[in-house]
Amino acid sequence: MYYGIRGKQNSFFESHLANRKQCTKVNNYSSSFQKIKCGVPQGSVMGPLLFLIYVNDLPCASSFQTTLFADYTSLHLSHKDIKMLQLNVQNELDKVNIWMMSNRLSINYNKIAYMILTATRSQNCNFEISMNGVRIEQTVSIKYFGVIIDNKLSWKPKISSLCKKLSQACGVVCKIRHFADIKILRLIYFSLFDSHLQYCIIDWGREHIKLLSGQCKCYKTE
């Protein structure tokens, strides 16, 4: 109702979500069936859409600049003073934690980390934040929507990872070049090589394409 879904459409979603039950089975022992009162069914066609609707108000729960993509969430906050940044981040994380508990969602703490983007190396010291009593570990690089970003925006981890992928793609083309015609080789090139090279190249590749070409091992074809 909050998102304007009414009438038959609302009844359709209600019939899809209502009266669902589940049980837990361990070896030959099963628990009794219990009604599912929250969440969305996984593996269904509407599952991703319903989940997006379910978490759509997360950006309103805190002052973080929030980026949502499927079940991936990225939180951003900035401040000139590192101590105030730590205080603000912790306060906003507490708000996010309250939202999570209110919506009966849990976090995989093994998959979360924080990174500080700063030009001053010493500002990385003594920055500790936690969520629901669990300390969040700091990292110097993180994969952000398929692009590896480091805390100095040097793009070295991204280029290193990309060179490895491109070298492997060159190896594939090298091995099959005598067994496939030019059309097949072009198809393989655009699938395995060019797709990785072009992904977000506007962001990371402005001044690093020369470095990439120098590191990537290429194979001569006849």
Side-chain angles (χ1 to χ4, degrees), residues 35-72:
K35 275 191 175 184
I36 302 175
K37 299 180 180 180
C38 63
V40 297
Q42 290 185 320
S44 64
V45 175
M46 292 194 300
L49 173 61
L50 293 174
F51 180 79
L52 291 177
I53 296 175
Y54 193 68
V55 301
N56 190 56
D57 62 331
L58 174 57
C60 302
S62 70
S63 297
F64 281 119
Q65 180 182 346
T66 306
T67 303
L68 297 174
F69 182 79
D71 60 345
Y72 179 89

Side-chain angles (χ1 to χ4, degrees), residues 31-204:
S31 68
S32 58
F33 281 89
Q34 299 292 329
K35 275 191 175 184
I36 302 175
K37 299 180 180 180
C38 63
V40 297
Q42 290 185 320
S44 64
V45 175
M46 292 194 300
L49 173 61
L50 293 174
F51 180 79
L52 291 177
I53 296 175
Y54 193 68
V55 301
N56 190 56
D57 62 331
L58 174 57
C60 302
S62 70
S63 297
F64 281 119
Q65 180 182 346
T66 306
T67 303
L68 297 174
F69 182 79
D71 60 345
Y72 179 89
T73 303
S74 178
L75 306 174
H76 312 266
L77 202 62
S78 62
H79 202 283
K80 294 182 179 180
D81 184 84
I82 191 67
K83 293 183 179 179
M84 287 301 301
L85 177 62
Q86 178 179 354
L87 179 62
N88 292 343
V89 168
Q90 186 60 65
N91 290 337
E92 298 307 314
L93 280 178
D94 292 339
K95 296 178 183 178
V96 173
N97 187 53
I98 293 175
W99 182 91
M100 297 289 293
M101 292 188 295
S102 299
N103 289 273
R104 301 183 182 182
L105 292 172
S106 59
I107 294 178
N108 187 345
Y109 294 101
N110 295 324
K111 293 186 177 181
I112 64 173
Y114 75 90
M115 185 174 69
I116 301 177
L117 297 175
T118 175
T120 306
R121 186 175 302 176
S122 61
Q123 286 190 352
N124 287 343
C125 300
N126 301 321
F127 194 98
E128 297 183 3
I129 55 176
S130 61
M131 192 170 186
N132 198 27
V134 180
R135 181 179 177 179
I136 301 176
E137 298 296 329
Q138 184 176 359
T139 183
V140 296
S141 64
I142 194 169
K143 182 174 286 189
Y144 185 75
F145 294 109
V147 178
I148 301 176
I149 301 175
D150 66 286
N151 59 348
K152 299 300 180 183
L153 294 181
S154 68
W155 303 106
K156 291 181 180 179
K158 168 64 182 177
I159 294 175
S160 177
S161 174
L162 185 59
C163 285
K164 185 177 180 180
K165 290 182 179 180
L166 298 184
S167 294
Q168 292 173 346
C170 286
V172 172
V173 175
C174 180
K175 290 180 180 180
I176 68 171
R177 70 185 189 276
H178 298 300
F179 307 97
D181 59 29
I182 189 63
K183 291 183 179 180
I184 299 298
L185 292 175
R186 282 176 55 86
L187 180 62
I188 294 175
Y189 166 79
F190 285 110
S191 299
L192 300 182
F193 192 98
D194 192 71
S195 59
H196 291 295
L197 180 63
Q198 295 294 336
Y199 183 72
C200 289
I201 195 173
I202 294 178
D203 294 320
W204 65 263

